[in-house]
Amino acid sequence: MKRYLSLSFVVTALLVPCHGSAAFLHTPEIASNAEFLMNTLGFSEDKIRKLQKRATKGNILTLESGILEERVDWLSERLNLKVQDMKRIAQSRPNILEMHSGESLGPKVNYLESRLHLDELSLRQLALRAPAVLGLSLENNLVPKLEFLVTRLSLDGNQLKKLVLAAPTVLTLNVESNLEPKLDYLQSRLRLDNKSFRRLILATPSVLVINMEGNIKPKLDYLQRRLILDDGSLKKLVLCIPTVLSMRLEETIVPKLDWLQHRLWVWTARQSATLDEVRNCTCADLSPQ
């Protein structure tokens, strides 16, 4: 009983208007929702304050009594979420709870489940790894984005499922400003035909969510310069080790190549090494162990 009274006192204190805050912030619904968010979903006092500042435009604090609880129950049951799972999703993306379960969230979850052939576990993992996906528009975002990936990479249903489950945040990226130019750059830079390019992306789906200008381009430039590779040899290296595209440059690639260079100095002191032998060694020693 003491804990309940303490929490109620905190909620009341948080909702006291400051500097002319709107009077409607004292409504029983807002006090009840704030208490539910803190007590059930583990929202901090700071998060409640931030929601309060935006409450004049409407958010989960201003929902009618009982609506918030209903949406949490619906999501928990539909996605088979544990208490901690629901807390993670609600705290990272509270806007999801502003959406109507039947009119917005339901069709979205049903579409992802059907389009990607997801079982219960895969659907839950998708929601946990990329909760922002649940807040995207179905007609204007999810549907055209999945169709873009299918068309651009010539994916079948299983390949699309594999790609999305391996890198679910790909669904949060903009097609025109991010995905399309990134795919075009990679295919052009590595001079890959469509079949080889699809195989590369499926081998390392995380490359789709890596920054192109700040990561992919500098990495390929470094590899080509450091190993003195022509375009054909760079292509061969990346196809040999697709995961090199997702490796960290300074933390992984550079120290591995430094070690390899030292090893080759010892090796070439004992026998002559052809360029192909050096490249084969590079493929072996850059590959994940």
Side-chain angles (χ1 to χ4, degrees):
M1 186 64 168
K2 181 183 290 186
R3 182 173 180 275
Y4 175 79
L5 290 174
S6 175
L7 181 59
S8 297
F9 178 80
V10 170
V11 170
T12 301
L14 288 173
L15 296 177
V16 171
C18 302
H19 308 296
S21 297
F24 82 89
L25 292 180
H26 287 294
T27 64
E29 289 82 3
I30 290 180
S32 175
N33 287 333
E35 186 167 350
F36 176 79
L37 290 170
M38 295 178 69
N39 192 33
T40 304
L41 297 178
F43 275 53
S44 65
E45 296 177 13
D46 184 56
K47 282 185 177 292
I48 294 295
R49 287 193 183 96
K50 289 179 179 178
L51 286 171
Q52 182 197 6
K53 290 178 181 179
R54 301 193 300 270
T56 53
K57 297 181 180 180
N59 58 27
I60 53 177
L61 276 181
T62 62
L63 292 174
E64 293 182 11
S65 180
I67 297 296
L68 186 57
E69 291 89 334
E70 288 179 9
R71 291 179 183 176
V72 168
D73 289 344
W74 184 91
L75 270 174
S76 298
E77 182 178 353
R78 182 65 178 85
L79 300 176
N80 194 29
L81 300 174
K82 299 177 181 178
V83 174
Q84 289 303 317
D85 297 336
M86 190 63 243
K87 286 183 179 181
R88 281 174 53 192
I89 290 177
Q91 290 181 31
S92 64
R93 297 288 172 177
N95 64 302
I96 291 172
L97 295 176
E98 296 175 21
M99 300 177 179
H100 192 282
S101 304
E103 296 176 3
S104 179
L105 287 173
K108 209 175 301 181
V109 172
N110 293 340
Y111 170 77
L112 289 170
E113 185 177 47
S114 173
R115 184 68 180 86
L116 298 175
H117 308 289
L118 301 178
D119 57 23
E120 188 177 83
L121 178 60
S122 297
L123 184 62
R124 174 175 172 268
Q125 290 175 336
L126 174 62
L128 288 174
R129 293 185 61 198
V133 170
L134 298 175
L136 299 175
S137 166
L138 178 59
E139 295 79 7
N140 300 324
N141 199 310
L142 290 176
V143 173
K145 194 170 295 178
L146 287 174
E147 294 312 310
F148 166 79
L149 290 171
V150 167
T151 302
R152 179 63 178 82
L153 297 171
S154 301
L155 302 175
D156 61 29
N158 288 331
Q159 291 168 334
L160 179 64
K161 174 182 178 179
K162 175 185 177 182
L163 187 150
V164 172
L165 289 181
T169 53
V170 70
L171 295 180
T172 66
L173 302 179
N174 184 276
V175 171
E176 290 76 15
S177 64
N178 193 311
L179 288 175
E180 191 168 27
K182 188 182 298 179
L183 290 170
D184 290 346
Y185 167 78
L186 271 174
Q187 186 168 12
S188 174
R189 176 69 192 275
L190 297 174
R191 300 184 178 184
L192 297 172
D193 59 35
N194 290 339
K195 184 177 180 180
S196 297
F197 187 54
R198 179 178 65 247
R199 187 165 62 245
L200 173 67
I201 297 301
L202 289 174
T204 178
S206 61
V207 71
L208 293 180
V209 299
I210 296 175
N211 182 272
M212 181 171 67
E213 295 294 337
N215 191 309
I216 296 174
K217 284 185 177 181
K219 195 180 299 177
L220 291 176
D221 289 342
Y222 173 83
L223 287 169
Q224 191 161 28
R225 182 177 65 253
R226 177 72 186 270
L227 296 173
I228 317 175
L229 302 174
D230 57 26
D231 291 341
S233 298
L234 179 65
K235 169 184 175 179
K236 179 180 178 182
L237 175 65
V238 174
L239 289 179
C240 174
I241 323 167
T243 52
V244 73
L245 294 173
S246 60
M247 291 180 185
R248 294 179 179 273
L249 181 58
E250 297 298 333
E251 293 88 342
T252 303
I253 295 176
V254 172
K256 279 195 172 188
L257 288 180
D258 287 343
W259 171 83
L260 177 60
Q261 186 174 34
H262 175 74
R263 174 178 169 178
L264 286 175
W265 280 342
V266 175
W267 181 38
T268 54
R270 298 176 181 174
Q271 66 181 45
S272 61
T274 67
L275 182 58
D276 283 342
E277 288 172 331
V278 172
R279 287 170 182 158
N280 288 337
C281 186
T282 302
C283 279
D285 289 306
L286 273 177
S287 297
Q289 301 298 318

